[in-house]
Amino acid sequence: MTEEIVILDFGSQYTQVIARRIRECNVFSTILRYDTPATEIAARKPKGLILSGGPSSVYAEDAPLPDRAIFKLGIPVLGICYGIQILAQYLGGKVEPGQKREYGKGTLTVTDDSCRLFHRLPESLQVWNSHGDRMSKLPDGFRPVAVTENSEYAAIENKAKQCYGLQFHPEVVHTPRGREILSNFVHGICGCGRNWTMRNYIEQAVEEIRAQVGNERVILGLSGGVDSSVAAALLHKAIGGQLTCIFVNNGLLRAREPEVVQEVFGRHFKVKLEFEDASRLFLERLKGVTNPETKRKIIGRTFIEVFQSATRRAGHARFLAQGTLYPDVIESVPIAGNPAAMIKSHHNVGGLPKKMKFKLVEPLKCLFKDEVRQLGLELGLPKEIVFRQPFPGPGLAVRILGEVTPRRCTILRNADRIVVEEMKSSGWYYKVWQSFAVLLPVRSVGVMGDERTYDFTVALRIVESQDGMTADWVKLPYELLEKIASRITNEVKGVNRVCLDISSKPPATIEWE
Ligand code: XMP
């Protein structure tokens, strides 16, 4: 059975980071809402419990509070930031509103090196604080084991009860040795092994998929993106010929995209692949349309239509597989002022019509993106697919401003191919979040040889980002920008000018439409 650490989410923007850090220690972790009943937690038989941070104060009227019985589960508990206030509130300590918010870097001094949390760590550590309230009285049976400039209770322990509290955030990168503290908790204190690896996960997932689908057939919409590609490779390993992948060419894909998917999945993996070339239909329907939202709607509707008819042709299937990831299924905590609660993807595929009565198979549902990538490599997918940059569902249509025509698609595809080639050969492609070309409906005068030209402008959009929610433009070397620009103006017919987009998100967005 998989060993598990349960993280109760009190609304911190870092809760998912805690979960990822634990998994980086090769231990499985699950995020549950702060008010999950203790019986439900006990039924999972976790090896340890972490109480996350959160934006509230335990004394606030609507403070998120856990089931009191979580302290009777008999497993180690670690409270982080707001979590340490919960320990105080429930176990006989006291928290006072701080005079000022302690925010930013601090130095932690370990005063008792017998505490297992700091095993093999130096006496002095850089840590990251972000809290308003501070503990003024220790909970019963606890003692301080580390201090900071502003807090005599920066880390506390009750060894007999295996209960620990940290005032600072060990999960963030600004606490450079925080991983080791978390590792000490899960390995040293909870006694977890290192069994959560993608190699082990494959075996488990294959068994689960087989048990779920039996002899039935499964359909998967393959987009060529990381998630659907990894899901396809995993399902193929589990059920081979019972899987049919449907790939829709909407005529708005990047250069060589359909070919790569056919090569990798059709020829290499020998997946049953229904290749739907609907480019003409999509482009026909986009004729004369310039409004960005209308474009998206037309593309969305047409996709569903094409996909539906392809599934009918593929024969009767009871299951539909999707590359849903863990961040999509974590229930967000509805706490006022919780930034994590507002972060919702605005364009997760709205889903197929309800009347398509499929049961869902979601084999990546408990994985984070970086784990999905590792899984993809483990399954033998090429780096080109596993580390590819995000590409929007409506494809080049949101990068061709104004009307989408076959000619404009060709122009943009050629310009974009050059951007990708140069980014890859200079080693920048895998360092940035996205790098692509945008075709502007602006024509300007240029000169080529003895002739005047009146051609389009291409904008370069190259951004760095953690999750696409915010982004900044990347300061690429001038030489590289120069090479991209000169290749585009020389090699792409119809373009005589290249501009660089230097806006951040917000206030701009990453895509132009
Ligand atoms: P924006 O333009 O909103 O994009 O800053 C944020 C991230 O989302 C991607 N994106 C999309 N992905 N369907 C998708 O699957 C879409 O309609 C869509 N629009 C934007 C974008 O590429 C960026 O990574």
Side-chain angles (χ1 to χ4, degrees), residues 296 346-347 390-394 399 433-434 468 505 509-511:
R296 279 174 189 270
H346 57 300
H347 27 232
F391 185 64
R399 298 177 180 173
W433 174 261
Q434 271 170 305
K505 170 183 181 176
T509 50
I510 296 176
E511 304 290 345

Side-chain angles (χ1 to χ4, degrees), residues 21 108 117-128 166 168-184:
R21 294 286 169 270
L108 184 85
L117 281 182
F118 301 104
H119 185 55
R120 296 210 175 143
L121 284 167
E123 190 187 326
S124 175
L125 291 166
Q126 184 191 318
V127 297
W128 182 260
L166 300 173
F168 59 91
H169 287 277
E171 69 276 20
V172 302
V173 289
H174 313 291
T175 301
R177 306 204 61 174
R179 283 160 198 259
E180 290 158 84
I181 300 175
L182 290 170
S183 166
N184 283 336

Side-chain angles (χ1 to χ4, degrees), residues 116-185:
R116 305 283 301 267
L117 281 182
F118 301 104
H119 185 55
R120 296 210 175 143
L121 284 167
E123 190 187 326
S124 175
L125 291 166
Q126 184 191 318
V127 297
W128 182 260
N129 289 300
S130 172
H131 56 89
D133 297 348
R134 54 195 292 271
M135 188 177 288
S136 56
K137 176 176 173 280
L138 282 176
D140 302 334
F142 280 76
R143 61 198 187 91
V145 289
V147 299
T148 59
E149 299 90 332
N150 297 321
S151 169
E152 48 186 330
Y153 304 135
I156 59 171
E157 83 167 352
N158 179 336
K159 202 167 186 176
K161 292 229 161 80
Q162 298 209 80
C163 198
Y164 301 80
L166 300 173
Q167 182 104 74
F168 59 91
H169 287 277
E171 69 276 20
V172 302
V173 289
H174 313 291
T175 301
R177 306 204 61 174
R179 283 160 198 259
E180 290 158 84
I181 300 175
L182 290 170
S183 166
N184 283 336
F185 178 68

Side-chain angles (χ1 to χ4, degrees), residues 50 65 84 133 154 202 217 251 318 400 456 473 477 492 497:
I50 294 181
L65 298 173
I84 204 174
D133 297 348
I202 293 175
R217 300 183 35 181
R318 285 207 36 206
I400 295 174
F456 288 115
W473 64 285
V492 183
R497 212 174 278 275

